Every structure is written in C-alpha cells, then in structure tokens.
Amino acid sequence: MIYLDEETLGEAYMQFSQAQKIKLPAGTPVINCHVQQGTDLCKRSVEASFSEALTFFHQYYSSLDFKAFLCYSGLLYPPMMKLLKENSNIKYFAEKFTIISSCSDSVQAEQYLFSGYSKHTTSLQKTWSQDKTYFGYACGIIEI
C-alpha cells in the first residue's frame, strides 16, 4: 500500500485518516488497479477482471497476503458520480470501491477525457469545459 500524501510525497496531495493507515498500513500487499482508456467497464468484464486478478496473484504470488484492490483514478472522484446515469459502467466500477481519499486535482481527468479526441463530443467533455469542479482524483480500495 502506498499513500499519496505528505508523509510519502513530501507534499499534502491527499490526506488519509490515521484509522485508514492503521487498518491498511503502508507497505501492505495490495493489487493495484489501472484502468486504461477504452477499457470495457461493463459489469461482466469488471467482475471477470477482478476474479482473474485474484486467481493470478494468488497463484504466482502465493507467499503474499493481499489485503485489498487499490485504485488511484479520476474515475473514482465522488463529485463526478453526480454526472453519470444510474446504469453507467463507470459508476458501476467506481461504486465497487470504498473511497479513502480524494483531491480536486483535475489534470488526470482532463488527460483521460481528451486523449485521442479533438472535439468536445461526450457529455463529460462538455461538462469539463463548463465546470471543472466535478473532476478530480480519488483513491479507493476493495478489501479482500
């Protein structure tokens, strides 16, 4: 487990509670989740991915006792959830995680939203252009 906070980075990027750090101490084995642009986030694919990851890590790293899935992503930023429809695949993915910290750094969201696009074509891109407060960065975990 790596906490992106002042203790680790030397600057107060995110803040994590002491209770969280006690529950999941720095250095605890976790499985990092990275969502590449264009990844299929439908329920079936998400569930299969988590299941396959558990199988893989338990098979090839059996000496480690993984305690959680960890994800640092703009896709988990709580204010953005207000923009998504109830049946949104992004929302389904994000709601699997317990958000343990967030910050209003929206640079990653901008990179994700506009990488490979030349026009403001999606509803999230249009919202970004009008109000960036819905976008940021969050850290979430799924306990194993």
Side-chain angles (χ1 to χ4, degrees):
M1 179 64 195
I2 297 173
Y3 289 100
L4 299 181
D5 61 2
E6 190 166 11
E7 187 177 322
T8 303
L9 300 174
E11 62 179 88
Y13 185 67
M14 287 188 173
Q15 294 181 338
F16 298 89
S17 71
Q18 277 308 113
Q20 176 57 48
K21 287 184 168 188
I22 290 169
K23 186 176 183 178
L24 193 62
T28 299
V30 297
I31 300 172
N32 187 46
C33 299
H34 174 72
V35 182
Q36 292 182 320
Q37 190 164 11
T39 297
D40 182 3
L41 291 177
C42 78
K43 291 178 183 180
R44 188 183 74 237
S45 295
V46 168
E47 295 304 325
S49 182
F50 282 120
S51 177
E52 290 169 14
L54 279 175
T55 299
F56 174 87
F57 282 96
H58 285 142
Q59 180 177 353
Y60 292 99
Y61 298 92
S62 58
S63 64
L64 297 176
D65 184 18
F66 294 98
K67 297 295 184 185
F69 284 100
L70 167 71
C71 186
Y72 280 99
S73 177
L75 294 177
L76 303 180
Y77 192 59
M80 189 180 77
M81 296 305 116
K82 297 173 189 169
L83 301 174
L84 302 174
K85 296 177 182 175
E86 281 306 310
N87 63 347
S88 163
N89 288 337
I90 294 172
K91 191 173 210 171
Y92 172 77
F93 175 78
E95 288 177 343
K96 296 191 75 54
F97 291 86
T98 299
I99 305 304
I100 58 174
S101 188
S102 65
C103 66
S104 60
D105 178 1
S106 58
V107 172
Q108 188 208 33
E110 179 181 23
Q111 292 169 345
Y112 186 83
L113 288 170
F114 294 102
S115 176
Y117 297 100
S118 60
K119 299 178 185 176
H120 297 272
T121 54
T122 70
S123 61
L124 287 178
Q125 288 172 325
K126 289 175 186 174
T127 301
W128 166 268
S129 299
Q130 297 166 359
D131 186 355
K132 293 173 181 58
T133 61
Y134 286 102
F135 303 92
Y137 199 63
C139 176
I141 60 169
I142 301 172
E143 293 183 39
I144 298 175

